[in-house]
């Protein structure tokens, strides 16, 4: 059973990003990218040319948050929904303001679709990168350059403000993104296990096995147990293996045990346009499925680990 626990932890309770669960993580990522955009300007001024360098209007004014989101998502600074009231400043260093903003973004709808669904245009966040790999590798380089530039600034308010922005962005906001992505995966694998091992419906034979006499028998249905964790105003259910085993001792049978672990491993493989050996949770408008989503979390953790600071806690 300990092997099962290690397997679940290693997989990070892998799951696909489904719109209903992942919108908050998508929204927080856009806030994180905007914090980079703002921090770069605080350090380099008009020489800033890394993050969304073409995000400005005809008067050469840099984008506010609404315009930045519209630009990253659609390639234009006009036409996106109003997230922050017009002309209002978005203080992304304020935890409560971030909570209000990402909650609103997660609930926005455009054309019948959840507004935050789909990949951001990586090439507009940090050109000429076109992949998540490239984006986070360059962000690590960017963070190092910004830190060195701040260290070289003369002592004073400007340096203190720039340092606070850099740390809040690189540590606190990115930590929040990672928390939400991981919690989404935890919740979805829990939902998947309940659905796959339902005692009724199309998966009802999952509990059948042959006894030594060749007769078909059935395991008692697993009674799944979850922990609940609240992050940024949303509650996520996470599979509790130990308590599930206590309520469902049949899970210790090697046959049923293997079916569960095999299904978790299958979840980690990506299906492709309805075909492929993995579970089919493929949708080209979603930001990463199964294995690729786990890879994004790993990249973000590597980026975050380069700088130390207290993570911004989720709001209860």
């Amino acid at each position: 059973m300990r092997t099962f626990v290690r397997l679940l932890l290693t997989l990070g309770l892998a799951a696909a990003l489904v719109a209903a669960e992942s919108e908050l993580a998508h929204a927080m990522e856009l806030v994180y990218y905007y914090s980079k955009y703002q921090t770069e300007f605080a350090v380099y001024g008009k020489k800033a040319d890394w993050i969304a360098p073409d995000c400005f209007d005809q008067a050469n004014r840099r984008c506010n948050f609404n315009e930045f989101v519209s630009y990253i998502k659609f390639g234009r600074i006009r036409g996106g929904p109003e997230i922050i009231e017009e002309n209002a400043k978005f203080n992304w260093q304020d935890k409560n303001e971030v909570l209000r903003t990402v909650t609103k973004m997660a609930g926005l709808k455009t054309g019948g679709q959840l507004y935050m669904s789909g990949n951001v245009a990586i090439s507009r966040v940090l050109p000429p990168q076109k992949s998540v790999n490239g984006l986070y590798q360059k962000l690590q380089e960017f963070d190092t350059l910004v830190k060195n530039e701040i260290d070289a600034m003369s002592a004073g308010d400007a340096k203190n403000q720039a340092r606070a922005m850099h740390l809040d962005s690189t540590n606190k906001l990115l930590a929040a993104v990672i928390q939400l992505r991981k919690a989404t995966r935890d919740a979805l694998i829990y939902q998947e296990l309940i659905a796959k091992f339902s005692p009724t419906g199309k998966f009802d034979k999952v509990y059948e096995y042959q006894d030594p006499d060749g007769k078909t028998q059935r395991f008692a249905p697993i009674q799944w147990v979850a922990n609940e964790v609240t992050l940024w105003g949303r509650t996520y259910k996470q599979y509790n293996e130990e308590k599930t085993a206590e309520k469902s001792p049949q899970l210790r049978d090697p046959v049923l045990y293997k079916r569960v672990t095999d299904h978790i491993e299958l979840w980690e493989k990506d299906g492709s346009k309805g075909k492929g050996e993995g579970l089919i949770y493929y949708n080209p408008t979603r930001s990463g499925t199964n294995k690729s989503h786990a890879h994004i979390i790993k990249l973000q953790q590597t980026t975050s680990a380069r700088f130390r600071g207290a993570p911004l806690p989720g709001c209860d």
Side-chain angles (χ1 to χ4, degrees):
M1 195 59 66
R2 291 180 181 177
T3 303
F4 190 19
V5 176
R6 286 196 297 270
L7 172 63
L8 289 171
L9 292 174
T10 301
L11 294 178
L13 299 177
L17 269 175
V18 233
E21 294 289 347
S22 62
E23 300 308 313
L24 214 57
H26 288 177
M28 190 67 76
E29 283 175 339
L30 281 173
V31 174
Y32 167 65
Y33 297 143
Y34 183 69
S35 74
K36 294 298 182 193
Y37 178 76
Q38 292 289 81
T39 300
E40 183 186 14
F41 185 71
V43 174
Y44 293 100
K46 294 182 179 180
K47 295 181 180 179
D49 62 356
W50 276 63
I51 310 299
D54 296 325
C55 195
F56 52 83
D57 64 12
Q58 293 181 346
N60 211 30
R61 178 188 59 81
R62 287 175 66 80
C63 292
N64 60 33
F65 185 66
N66 291 347
E67 293 166 338
F68 178 85
V69 172
S70 181
Y71 172 76
I72 295 302
K73 297 287 289 185
F74 307 118
R76 59 181 187 273
I77 67 172
R78 299 286 187 266
E82 185 176 283
I83 303 166
I84 305 296
E85 291 184 10
E86 187 176 1
N87 298 322
K89 182 179 179 180
F90 172 40
N91 182 5
W92 54 267
Q93 293 179 274
D94 183 295
K95 178 178 65 176
N96 293 322
E97 191 163 343
V98 169
L99 173 61
R100 289 193 297 270
T101 301
V102 296
T103 301
K104 183 175 181 179
M105 292 170 74
L108 286 174
K109 295 187 178 182
T110 300
Q113 299 295 319
L114 285 167
Y115 172 71
M116 293 303 304
S117 293
N119 293 315
V120 300
I122 298 299
S123 61
R124 290 194 286 268
V125 176
L126 207 167
Q129 307 307 315
K130 295 182 179 180
S131 69
V132 175
N133 267 337
L135 172 63
Y136 279 93
Q137 288 171 3
K138 292 299 288 186
L139 280 175
Q140 292 174 36
E141 181 181 342
F142 170 83
D143 285 337
T144 299
L145 291 173
V146 168
K147 178 183 181 299
N148 291 341
E149 189 72 20
I150 293 171
D151 289 343
M153 292 172 66
S154 300
D157 291 343
K159 180 174 184 174
N160 293 337
Q161 180 183 6
R163 188 182 301 282
M165 292 174 71
H166 179 245
L167 291 176
D168 284 351
S169 170
T170 306
N171 292 306
K172 297 178 180 179
L173 278 177
L174 186 51
V177 170
I178 294 169
Q179 283 179 335
L180 288 170
R181 274 190 174 267
K182 290 177 70 176
T184 297
R185 289 164 60 78
D186 289 356
L188 288 169
I189 191 61
Y190 177 67
Q191 293 173 15
E192 172 64 18
L193 289 172
I194 291 175
K196 172 64 178 179
F197 291 87
S198 169
T200 60
K202 63 180 180 180
F203 297 128
D204 63 338
K205 292 186 178 181
V206 74
Y207 288 110
E208 290 185 358
Y209 68 96
Q210 300 295 313
D211 67 16
D213 296 326
K215 295 181 179 180
T216 299
Q217 304 291 346
R218 288 178 63 87
F219 294 108
I222 297 171
Q223 299 181 57
W224 302 99
V225 181
N227 298 325
E228 291 188 352
V229 58
T230 300
L231 295 170
W232 298 91
R234 182 167 297 181
T235 299
Y236 299 85
K237 289 187 175 182
Q238 302 174 334
Y239 170 59
N240 186 312
E241 188 273 338
E242 183 177 354
K243 290 186 178 179
T244 297
E246 289 177 0
K247 291 192 69 173
S248 303
Q250 68 273 28
L251 189 57
R252 297 189 175 93
D253 186 285
V255 174
L256 185 58
Y257 165 82
K258 188 175 187 302
R259 289 177 187 176
V260 173
T261 56
D262 284 352
H263 193 67
I264 293 172
E265 290 176 352
L266 185 64
W267 178 275
E268 190 70 359
K269 299 178 181 179
D270 283 337
S272 178
K273 295 184 179 179
K275 299 179 181 179
E277 60 181 352
L279 294 179
I280 307 306
Y281 280 87
Y282 176 87
N283 186 323
T285 67
R286 289 176 186 162
S287 178
T289 57
N290 305 357
K291 188 174 182 180
S292 61
H293 183 47
H295 182 62
I296 293 173
I297 291 175
K298 184 176 180 179
L299 288 171
Q300 291 171 337
Q301 289 173 325
T302 301
T303 303
S304 178
R306 294 175 66 88
F307 298 93
R308 299 303 179 206
L312 194 64
C315 298
D316 294 330

